[in-house]
Amino acid sequence: MAVTERIPASKLIQRIPGGGVFLTTSENIFKWGKASSLWPMTFGLACCAIEMIATGASRFDIDRFGAGVFRASPRQCDVMIIAGTICVKMNDCIQRLYAQMPEPKYVIAMGNCAISGGIFYYDTYSVTKGTDSLGIPVDVFIPGCPPRPENLLFGLMKLQEKIRNEKDADK
Amino acid sequence: MRTNEIFMAIKTDFPEARQEEETGAVIIPKESLLKITQYLKNHRLAFDNLHCITAIDRAERVELAYTLYSISEHHGITLKIYLTAGEENVASLAELWKSANWLEREVYDLFGVIFLNHPDLRRILNPYDWKGHPLRKSYSHPEVSIKPRL
Ligand code: SF4
């Protein structure tokens, strides 16, 4: 009992007692699979990216959560971690990368800069005020300057929770 | 060589050079820039490395600062040129030191100083269609830069 509680998909999949059969819906299986295998994009913008890199390395090991395969092409990714300050010159680039990702796609805004412009909110000419202002929908905001790797992992778990509880199977 | 010795060497050949009191930088008129830099590079002072070009906007004038270094002699010097407001143009050093190419593009981008005879004077940090030169005192861009409410 205690073990199944810790398995994230245990609510989605029901075992028939005493038999090698389990019951679920195909939708639940897909959601579980989707959440357990996220492919982030290799995409760092500023200091927050350093924390993202640390999260990807062996000490914090994002691979434990099934999101360790950072891909260098947006075509092969389903989650974009906006890690760092968005300069005005990067706007086009980010929008294009987001558009190039295949559906279903998710966005994590990591750090105050990616959320709102952070410490660069006032009195700067070159910084975009957050991911939202680019018209890119954000699934998880992770505040901090920079957020610690644990925070990123927590954000990732929140994203997985969100995916598992999605109502609309098409997304 | 020490900064003072380098200054004296420059002063003997180019009497128009002055020394800035607070910083020890060598101030030269903008007309002699090419002559003096050529001399500094090829003379025994051997300034083979142009480290940095930057500018300071003092409202009534723009000061250009060139940081030179000699890798073989291990000495350095800062050259300064005062440009009066409205006449922010100066000869390019891209022919003399390759590093000047991008450094001058940066100063052009942020301060609007025109480098004459530069091979490729485009913006380098801001987008190509950017308006204005952001590090000038007179620059304002109210639609993007929000002021804090104090
Ligand atoms: S939130 Fe802080 S750490 Fe992250 S990119 Fe911005 S300034 Fe750097």
Side-chain angles (χ1 to χ4, degrees), chain A:
Chain A
M1 191 63 196
V3 175
T4 49
E5 264 173 13
R6 273 192 268 124
I7 298 173
S10 59
K11 288 209 195 71
L12 307 177
I13 300 169
Q14 288 171 3
R15 249 185 115 88
I16 303 254
V21 182
F22 61 83
L23 278 179
T24 182
T25 59
S26 54
E27 197 180 309
N28 278 346
I29 281 286
F30 285 141
K31 280 193 221 162
W32 174 66
K34 207 155 71 175
S36 311
S37 148
L38 290 168
W39 295 45
M41 187 163 14
T42 315
F43 182 54
L45 292 173
C47 6
C48 275
I50 304 299
E51 297 296 307
M52 183 177 73
I53 295 162
T55 317
S58 61
R59 176 162 177 193
F60 297 99
D61 198 1
I62 200 171
D63 234 351
R64 292 176 295 160
F65 303 89
V69 194
F70 282 85
R71 304 304 300 192
S73 162
R75 310 265 185 213
Q76 302 168 348
C77 301
D78 51 14
V79 52
M80 183 184 203
I81 304 175
I82 311 249
T85 320
I86 306 169
C87 286
V88 171
K89 207 176 177 179
M90 279 302 282
N91 289 358
D92 275 358
C93 184
I94 293 177
Q95 281 163 331
R96 193 153 5 119
L97 287 173
Y98 180 73
Q100 283 173 339
M101 283 164 64
E103 297 274 1
K105 52 189 170 187
Y106 303 93
V107 176
I108 296 178
M110 178 184 184
N112 296 351
C113 287
I115 294 172
S116 67
I119 51 170
F120 305 107
Y121 185 78
Y122 288 122
D123 241 355
T124 45
Y125 59 92
S126 60
V127 176
T128 302
K129 314 264 178 295
T131 315
D132 274 340
S133 65
L134 294 179
I136 295 176
V138 178
D139 294 285
V140 179
F141 294 95
I142 308 173
C145 181
R148 284 191 55 87
E150 290 90 331
N151 295 17
L152 178 57
L153 292 177
F154 182 66
L156 189 76
M157 288 191 264
K158 282 285 168 205
L159 179 62
Q160 290 175 331
E161 198 179 306
K162 181 175 175 176
I163 296 172
R164 279 198 303 273
N165 295 325
E166 262 172 359
K167 288 283 174 296
D168 174 9
D170 292 336
K171 161 109 191 179

